[in-house]
Each structure stands twice: as C-alpha cells, then as structure tokens.
Amino acid sequence: PLAAVVVATVTGCGGGLIGTYRGDVRLMTGREESETEGHSLAEVRQRVADDNRILTLLPGGRFKLKDKRSEVEGEWHLDGDTVVTLDDIGNGKPIPPGLRVERKFAIGDNGELIHGTSYNHYNLEEFYTKQ
C-alpha cells in the first residue's frame, strides 16, 4: 500500500523507468543450476554478455532493444508492475503488424526488468539492470 504509493510517485507513470538497461542472466530463486551441456549459468551469462543486449526505454513511449546482430524498436507502456514492449521497426525497416513481437518485463524489487525467456527451462532468468 504505502510502498505502492511511493513507487507510483517515484516512477510517475513509468517516467522513472526511462533509461538504458544492460542484459544479464541469473539462477532463478530457489532453483538448482541446470546440468544440460551449454546451458550452465556461466555459459549462458557469457553468451548474453558477448551478445551485448541493451534495452533503452525512451520518453514518449518508445524503446530500442539491440544486440550485436540486430536492433528492434517500437512502443512501450507500463501495465501494473510490468513493462510491455511491442516491436514496430526491425533493423531500420517497418515490421508488418502480424509479425510484431510483444515482450513483457516484470519490474523486480531492485528496479531490474525481468524477461521471461527460453532460459527458464534451464532455471535461468534474463534480466536488465539500469545503467
């Protein structure tokens, strides 16, 4: 209740979220590290670091998500305690409506943005920390 009021006041409808975030991976709380070859915490963290994943939430409800191979941009909004992005441009070209990707990032206790990904199968979660 009071914490929610403080968060709402600090973020100002998402304004406090504006900025640049760097991607990383960590072991999910209460889970054991996967023994699947190629999917240990160290291996996946290294791949994500090498990929240089950067998420930027811009004023006016726009975002950019880039890595060493591609860049997408589009609209973002706050839905409760979740940041929702929807691609509309990929590598500088418009993305047709039927091919646009929506992503959801839960806002963690420390302000990081937690993205549910295929890593969850390996007890890992991708998260983005504000720079």
Side-chain angles (χ1 to χ4, degrees):
L2 179 57
V5 171
V6 170
V7 169
T9 302
V10 171
T11 61
C13 297
L17 295 170
I18 292 169
T20 300
Y21 298 75
R22 180 170 303 280
D24 198 353
V25 176
R26 64 183 169 213
L27 189 61
M28 297 170 82
T29 304
R31 302 282 181 92
E32 291 187 23
E33 188 170 348
S34 172
E35 294 182 15
T36 304
E37 185 177 336
H39 292 90
S40 71
L41 176 58
E43 290 167 314
V44 175
R45 280 192 86 197
Q46 188 61 55
R47 276 198 300 278
V48 170
D50 290 347
D51 216 19
N52 195 29
R53 296 181 190 174
I54 303 290
L55 170 65
T56 304
L57 300 180
L58 301 163
R62 298 290 296 171
F63 81 94
K64 290 184 180 187
L65 179 62
K66 64 181 179 176
D67 59 34
K68 68 180 184 180
R69 293 179 309 277
S70 65
E71 181 175 324
V72 294
E73 57 185 276
E75 298 178 357
W76 74 273
H77 68 276
L78 193 55
D79 183 8
D81 60 355
T82 302
V83 171
V84 180
T85 65
L86 182 62
D87 304 350
D88 57 24
I89 297 174
N91 295 324
K93 297 180 181 170
I95 299 172
L99 299 177
R100 294 178 181 171
V101 175
E102 180 182 87
R103 291 175 195 80
K104 295 184 178 187
F105 299 84
I107 302 171
D109 293 339
N110 296 324
E112 73 271 2
L113 303 180
I114 305 164
H115 181 50
T117 67
S118 58
Y119 302 132
N120 291 5
H121 181 73
Y122 303 103
N123 297 332
L124 303 173
E125 66 185 3
E126 183 177 0
F127 68 101
Y128 290 77
T129 304
K130 196 170 190 179
Q131 302 299 291

